[in-house]
């Protein structure tokens, strides 16, 4: 990399990452190279910084003097924070691929292969009843943090007992149907109360998550009564597909996926495409983070661009509009795109 390319990046590629005033910082091109080597070797931040200080191969890859003392390990965390902003990682990958193409290491119409690894969402596994209950609690906390007065006349001591702490019900709670209907009615009361007295607050993330979770888990029967959704094969109103179903009110983009009878997860999938021509090096050419239910064949660069929007779930009747009319149960949900995950 040092002899043939003189590095994958130069400092001018990072000009818009840093302010123009202040004390000169470390070379961002060198930090980017350290991050690549750190990932390849599975090093922690402390180990990577120590390798820069002690290892000759690290110093040679970054064109550093042998007596260069390196840097403090905390610099790498700050650099990754900058890297995660505004699609900068994708732009760095494009720059590296352009220079590899100029050097003849990447060619057009070459053989490529795709594979994926799962990314677990930082959320707790919830049953459907726990999901609805936690969604009500999250919405209440969001409203309380913005406009506490909106909850006057609605929240009483009983609500505090039910939603005052994270829910822990397990798979076999006592009186499940009573809990299901009580929680559903509380959610409807909360949404209609906010629509009547605080319509401008209905666009909050937790409020919108509660609306979608309610649509996916409850329905109105012919008499207008609130009912729990069950599978169509059980004679129910039907459940959303796993690619549409929300699994946590705190991350509405995470999805549930199962592979076989053993492996299951809630989160996302990281799809990587690399060249695999027999007469050249293997080079990663595309990285895309998608829903966990996306198959490798659907995430190739031709069909899924490498951008944050690529992780969006497709429009579906199980997604709801951002600013819905009230009351929420008088019309079916309309097609829209679900929020994108940030990973």
């Amino acid at each position: 990399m040092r002899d043939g390319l003189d590095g994958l990046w130069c400092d001018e590629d990072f000009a818009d990452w840093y302010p123009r005033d202040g004390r000169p910082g470390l070379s961002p091109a060198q930090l980017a190279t350290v991050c690549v080597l750190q990932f390849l070797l599975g090093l922690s931040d402390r180990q990577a910084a120590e390798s820069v200080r002690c290892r000759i191969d690290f110093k040679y890859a970054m064109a550093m003097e042998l007596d260069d003392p390196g840097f403090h390990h905390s610099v790498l965390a700050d650099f990754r924070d900058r890297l995660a902003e505004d699609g900068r990682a994708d732009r760095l990958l494009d720059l590296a691929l352009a220079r590899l193409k100029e050097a003849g290491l990447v060619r057009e119409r070459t053989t490529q292969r795709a594979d994926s690894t799962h990314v677990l969402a930082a959320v707790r596994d919830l049953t459907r009843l726990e999901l609805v209950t936690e969604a009500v609690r999250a919405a209440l906390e969001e409203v309380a943090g913005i406009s506490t007065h909106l909850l006057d006349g609605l929240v009483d001591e009983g609500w505090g007992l039910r939603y005052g702490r994270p829910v822990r019900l397990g798979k076999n709670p006592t009186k499940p149907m009573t809990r299901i209907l009580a929680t559903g009615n509380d959610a409807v009361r909360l949404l209609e109360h906010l629509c009547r007295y605080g319509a401008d607050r209905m666009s909050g993330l937790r409020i919108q998550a509660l609306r979608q979770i309610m649509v996916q888990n409850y329905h109105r029967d012919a008499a207008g009564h609130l009912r729990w959704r069950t599978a169509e094969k059980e004679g129910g109103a039907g459940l959303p597909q796993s690619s549409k179903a929300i699994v946590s009110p705190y991350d509405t983009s995470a999805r549930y996926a199962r592979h076989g009878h053993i492996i299951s997860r809630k989160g996302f999938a990281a799809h990587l495409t690399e060249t695999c021509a027999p007469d050249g090096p293997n080079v990663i050419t595309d990285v895309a983070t998608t829903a966990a239910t996306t198959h490798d064949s659907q995430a190739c660069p031709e069909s899924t661009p490498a951008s944050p929007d690529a992780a969006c779930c497709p429009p579906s009747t199980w997604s709801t509009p951002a600013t819905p009319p009230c009351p929420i149960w008088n019309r079916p949900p309309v097609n829209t795109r679900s929020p994108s995950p940030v990973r």
Side-chain angles (χ1 to χ4, degrees):
M1 182 174 61
R2 169 56 50 195
D3 294 340
L5 301 174
D6 195 25
L8 290 175
W9 306 283
C10 58
D11 289 341
E12 288 73 16
D13 298 330
F14 304 83
D16 59 339
W17 290 33
Y18 297 89
R20 296 182 179 276
D21 54 354
R23 187 178 63 181
L26 299 172
S27 168
Q30 291 181 349
L31 294 177
T33 303
V34 173
C35 288
V36 174
L37 297 175
Q38 178 185 5
F39 174 79
L40 290 174
L41 301 177
L43 304 177
S44 67
D45 286 354
R46 290 180 182 272
Q47 292 171 332
E50 183 68 12
S51 297
V52 172
R53 188 179 70 85
C54 298
R55 291 180 54 167
I56 294 179
D57 54 349
F58 269 64
K59 291 181 180 294
Y60 187 80
M62 293 181 290
M64 298 173 63
E65 298 293 337
L66 291 179
D67 58 351
D68 193 307
F71 49 80
H72 193 266
H73 66 85
S74 61
V75 175
L76 293 173
D78 176 73
F79 181 80
R80 286 195 299 271
D81 289 340
R82 297 177 186 270
L83 182 65
E85 298 176 3
D86 303 327
R88 289 171 174 173
D90 291 328
R91 293 199 295 272
L92 278 189
L93 177 60
D94 292 339
L95 285 172
L97 291 175
R99 286 164 186 164
L100 290 170
K101 183 177 179 181
E102 292 176 358
L105 299 177
V106 175
R107 302 188 303 272
E108 295 181 357
R109 300 186 180 277
T110 188
T111 305
Q112 299 188 74
R113 60 189 174 192
D115 199 359
S116 65
T117 183
H118 60 268
V119 180
L120 298 180
V123 297
R124 185 165 59 92
D125 287 338
L126 301 172
T127 64
R128 288 178 61 198
L129 177 55
E130 288 176 331
L131 172 64
V132 177
T133 307
E134 190 66 23
V136 175
R137 192 182 78 86
L140 287 171
E141 291 201 350
E142 182 179 61
V143 175
I146 300 175
S147 304
T148 308
H149 66 279
L150 289 178
L151 300 179
D152 295 343
L154 175 67
V155 176
D156 53 21
E157 184 178 355
W159 282 58
L161 294 175
R162 292 192 293 273
Y163 309 112
R165 63 183 62 185
V167 59
R168 297 288 192 279
L169 299 177
K171 294 184 178 180
N172 298 302
T174 59
K175 299 180 180 180
M177 289 309 301
T178 301
R179 291 176 180 269
I180 286 171
L181 294 178
T183 304
N185 287 323
D186 287 346
V188 172
R189 286 181 57 197
L190 173 60
L191 291 172
E192 291 182 343
H193 180 85
L194 292 177
C195 190
R196 185 178 301 113
Y197 299 106
D200 57 329
R201 304 299 184 187
M202 289 292 290
S203 59
L205 296 179
R206 304 290 177 257
I207 299 297
Q208 290 300 299
L210 176 60
R211 290 193 66 257
Q212 295 191 31
I213 290 171
M214 286 296 295
V215 171
Q216 293 181 355
N217 290 277
Y218 291 88
H219 71 101
R220 293 286 190 183
D221 59 16
H225 298 135
L226 195 66
R227 292 289 182 263
W228 187 242
R229 284 189 179 273
T230 55
E232 293 181 357
K233 63 182 180 181
E234 300 175 0
L239 294 170
Q241 301 175 1
S242 60
S243 60
K244 315 296 189 299
I246 295 175
V247 298
S248 172
Y250 303 105
D251 192 343
T252 56
S253 57
R255 294 293 181 265
Y256 173 82
R258 176 183 291 274
H259 297 276
H261 299 286
I262 300 176
I263 301 176
S264 62
R265 67 179 187 272
K266 294 179 179 178
F268 312 90
H271 297 267
L272 297 95
T273 304
E274 70 171 359
T275 61
C276 55
D279 57 345
N282 293 358
V283 178
I284 293 177
T285 59
D286 185 78
V287 180
T289 303
T290 67
T293 54
T294 304
H295 192 268
D296 291 353
S297 61
Q298 300 173 328
C300 59
E302 290 78 10
S303 60
T304 304
S307 67
D309 293 337
C312 295
C313 297
S316 88
T317 56
W318 294 103
S319 300
T320 53
T323 54
C326 188
I328 62 171
W329 296 102
N330 287 351
R331 59 168 59 185
V334 299
N335 293 346
T336 188
R337 186 178 292 273
S338 301
S340 303
V342 179
R343 286 294 183 275

